[in-house]
Amino acid sequence: MGNVYAYVRVSTTGQNEDRQLIAMARQNVPERNIFVEKQSGKDFNRPMYQRMVKKLKEDDVLFIKSIDRLGRNYEEILEQWRILTKEKGVDIVVIDMPLLDTRRGKDLMGTLIADLVLALLSYVSENERKSIRERQREGIEAAKLRGVKFGRPSKPLPEDFVHICNRWLAKEITAEEAAGLCGLTKATFYNRARTTMRRTFRNSSGRNSADL
């Protein structure tokens, strides 16, 4: 019988890991062997996880509260599961999912069940990610149709912006000076000036056409 370890993870420093720690205490995991991580589960480049993996040896047991505490990317979870159970010979126990307990069923059937459960989780997770992206895309398109604009709001222009543009066009001031008067960067001044002058020209042309 090897040592018993636990991996506890929350995504941010503001989240509380007490529920997971209580679960590990009920499994009699020594406090010194509990590795707590406060980091996103998008990949496995996490210092506490990597430190724990280095300590794990054959016949050790690793407890996690739920599979998503191990990570969010199920393709990488499958790879880590393979490394831990096949290469390092570690048993993994997912407390919230009894089927994912490699101590039970060391035979082919037990291994097959665990592999099938992980594969199913991977499939469900990938489809959920696709559904979320599709809902986000549809939501953005619907919002655009309602006139909602995305991105950072444009900085308001000074009331005399057109006057400043005219002074710049007349070469009374440089572009840098014009941008400074408007509180804009030079590149932003160019873009806003181009848009404003184009709009002003269109409006002027429209009035002239109407007058004719």
Side-chain angles (χ1 to χ4, degrees), residues 59-75:
D59 294 328
D60 286 346
V61 179
L62 172 62
F63 283 90
I64 55 176
K65 182 72 170 64
S66 58
I67 195 67
D68 63 348
R69 295 305 88 201
L70 190 60
R72 292 289 187 183
N73 186 318
Y74 277 81
E75 288 183 5

Side-chain angles (χ1 to χ4, degrees), residues 24-200:
M24 300 313 164
R26 289 173 178 166
Q27 300 296 329
N28 297 316
V29 180
E31 188 174 343
R32 67 180 180 278
N33 288 351
I34 300 177
F35 290 79
V36 179
E37 194 106 62
K38 296 190 176 185
Q39 190 169 325
S40 168
K42 63 180 181 179
D43 56 44
F44 284 87
N45 295 323
R46 310 176 219 136
M48 295 303 292
Y49 179 80
Q50 296 297 333
R51 187 183 304 176
M52 178 192 70
V53 170
K54 289 180 180 178
K55 290 182 70 71
L56 290 171
K57 295 180 175 58
E58 188 173 358
D59 294 328
D60 286 346
V61 179
L62 172 62
F63 283 90
I64 55 176
K65 182 72 170 64
S66 58
I67 195 67
D68 63 348
R69 295 305 88 201
L70 190 60
R72 292 289 187 183
N73 186 318
Y74 277 81
E75 288 183 5
E76 292 192 13
I77 287 176
L78 288 169
E79 177 61 14
Q80 289 298 314
W81 191 280
R82 184 191 65 77
I83 291 172
L84 294 176
T85 59
K86 304 290 195 303
E87 294 185 9
K88 297 184 74 74
V90 173
D91 277 314
I92 303 178
V93 180
V94 181
I95 297 172
D96 287 352
M97 190 170 290
L99 285 175
L100 292 179
D101 182 346
T102 61
R103 298 173 303 176
R104 303 176 182 175
K106 290 287 187 178
D107 56 5
L108 181 61
M109 181 60 70
T111 302
L112 178 62
I113 290 174
D115 288 346
L116 285 173
V117 171
L118 282 172
L120 178 61
L121 288 172
S122 178
Y123 172 80
V124 171
S125 174
E126 180 60 28
N127 277 276
E128 179 60 21
R129 283 197 295 269
K130 288 180 179 178
S131 296
I132 290 172
R133 288 195 294 267
E134 182 65 18
R135 289 196 296 270
Q136 289 174 336
R137 185 187 65 78
E138 291 174 351
I140 290 171
E141 289 179 355
K144 285 181 177 179
L145 290 174
R146 296 196 305 271
V148 176
K149 294 184 178 180
F150 294 88
R152 295 172 60 183
S154 299
K155 187 174 181 178
L157 297 173
E159 293 181 0
D160 58 345
F161 181 72
V162 173
H163 176 65
I164 293 172
C165 287
N166 288 331
R167 289 184 62 196
W168 167 61
L169 291 171
K171 300 187 183 303
E172 295 178 11
I173 56 176
T174 66
E176 289 84 354
E177 291 172 329
L181 291 171
C182 298
L184 304 171
T185 65
K186 187 176 176 180
T188 302
F189 171 76
Y190 278 138
N191 290 332
R192 302 294 292 276
R194 187 182 303 114
T195 302
T196 300
M197 300 310 289
R198 187 183 299 125
R199 186 183 303 118
T200 301

